[in-house]
Amino acid sequence: MPHYLQPKGLSWIYNGNTMTSSELLVLKDSNLLAQEAAKHFIEIAKASLASHQRFTVALSGGSTPQKLYKLLASDYKHALDWSKVFVFFGDERFVPPYESESNYAMADEVLLSRIDLPEDNIFPFATIDISPEDAGHLYEKELKKFFGDQIVFDLIFLGLGEDGHTASLFPGHPEVVNPSASLVKVVEKAPKAPATRLSFTYKLINQAQNVIFLVAGQGKAKALKNIFEGPGTVPAALVKPEKGKLVWLLDEEAAKDLKLET
Ligand code: 6PG
């Protein structure tokens, strides 16, 4: 069973701000973590469908979410009317969509191709026969066309790198040092290959109704300590939804250095 844990005595002082609507759950291992994440996904999806007849979600890349995506494609294959689900990507590596490094390719392999999700409901970044800059502008245009003026995702999933990056917002990068009013940014010279990427910005992420970080493994413990116990200098620490709910789903390995109490 997940246990609710709060930073000891910090009563949710998250990076200097008292968090109101947020949760931190620590799960025993990465399998239980994926199960808890799937539960959150389905709950938020059902609430979104009930309130506005659609569910918009931005998926994260990397390895951590793959167990979640496989669960959604199997145990939860029939849990939703997928025709009302719309899938975007919080970041993308600037490689062709058929290359294994592509976040779209990974999600398509383990989830999107295995559920009754119409092709038109999936919004991959354009990464062939286009420049990264134009791909970023095109994605922003698609977001505005789909959402209208207010771009508020029902759910944005995020991962966390060992250096505290999230999406493709890396330490020392312009969008982290000086967050812009853009919604999507080109990222060059990313320290995690591939070097050229496209990423949601803090502005877009922090507008979301729900943001869930999915973090597993002891390699992330140091970044989590920076975020929860200060000084909050890593990129993921700047994710602070303006009105939305922030949920951190961690496994015990990732949470090992946090002062938590049950
Ligand atoms: C990417 C991801 C990235 C990822 C973290 C954690 O495109 O690489 O969006 O932000 O979430 O690097 O990756 P792991 O889950 O593989 O540790």
Side-chain angles (χ1 to χ4, degrees):
M1 274 301 285
H3 30 240
Y4 282 80
L5 296 157
Q6 290 204 331
K8 193 181 283 297
L10 295 174
S11 66
W12 272 113
I13 302 291
Y14 167 75
N15 181 30
N17 302 294
T18 306
M19 293 302 288
T20 44
S21 60
S22 58
E23 267 179 25
L24 163 60
L25 283 83
V26 178
L27 289 301
K28 195 109 194 72
D29 58 41
S30 60
N31 292 324
L32 287 172
L33 179 70
Q35 286 171 29
E36 186 67 26
K39 259 176 49 189
H40 279 73
F41 183 102
I42 296 296
E43 276 165 19
I44 294 168
K46 288 187 170 172
S48 305
L49 292 173
S51 81
H52 45 273
Q53 294 72 51
R54 75 180 188 187
F55 172 51
T56 56
V57 58
L59 300 180
S60 67
S63 56
T64 306
Q66 293 189 31
K67 283 185 180 174
L68 160 64
Y69 298 163
K70 285 176 182 165
L71 264 182
L72 292 174
S74 52
D75 299 23
Y76 293 91
K77 186 180 175 77
H78 304 296
L80 292 177
D81 175 357
W82 294 100
S83 70
K84 295 185 179 136
V85 176
F86 298 86
V87 177
F88 298 75
F89 296 83
D91 73 327
E92 185 54 280
R93 294 89 176 273
F94 201 70
V95 296
Y98 44 77
E99 282 203 10
S100 61
E101 286 184 313
S102 156
N103 287 338
Y104 162 77
M106 179 274 282
D108 187 49
E109 168 55 30
V110 298
L111 172 58
L112 306 180
S113 61
R114 299 170 190 271
I115 51 178
D116 289 338
L117 183 72
E119 199 69 28
D120 289 350
N121 290 28
I122 306 170
F123 295 81
F125 281 89
T127 55
I128 36 184
D129 302 334
I130 190 169
S131 72
E133 288 68 23
D134 287 348
H137 295 144
L138 180 61
Y139 210 77
E140 276 209 15
K141 253 171 74 181
E142 284 178 347
L143 286 169
K144 287 173 182 164
K145 185 169 162 235
F146 182 89
F147 285 95
D149 292 343
Q150 275 306 312
I151 302 178
V152 179
F153 275 90
D154 294 314
L155 173 59
I156 295 180
F157 262 111
L158 293 173
L160 180 71
E162 297 195 4
D163 60 1
H165 80 259
T166 191
S168 284
L169 301 168
F170 290 92
H173 275 239
E175 186 55 28
V176 175
V177 173
N178 187 17
S180 72
S182 306
L183 300 173
V184 173
K185 272 285 185 190
V186 177
V187 174
E188 303 284 5
K189 303 195 185 82
K192 177 180 178 185
T196 303
R197 293 153 166 261
L198 289 149
S199 181
F200 279 13
T201 60
Y202 292 110
K203 175 172 170 51
L204 180 49
I205 293 169
N206 287 333
Q207 285 174 184
Q209 199 59 35
N210 293 278
V211 176
I212 296 182
F213 275 97
L214 200 52
V215 187
Q218 61 178 1
K220 315 297 174 76
K222 191 161 151 275
L224 285 169
K225 194 168 179 66
N226 176 291
I227 294 164
F228 282 94
E229 290 166 21
T233 48
V234 298
L238 295 182
V239 172
K240 287 182 265 184
E242 290 143 27
K243 299 196 186 85
K245 181 171 181 183
L246 176 63
V247 175
W248 286 85
L249 299 179
L250 316 178
D251 72 358
E252 284 191 346
E253 279 190 15
K256 72 181 182 64
D257 294 342
L258 296 182
K259 289 195 285 300
L260 298 169
E261 59 194 11
T262 48

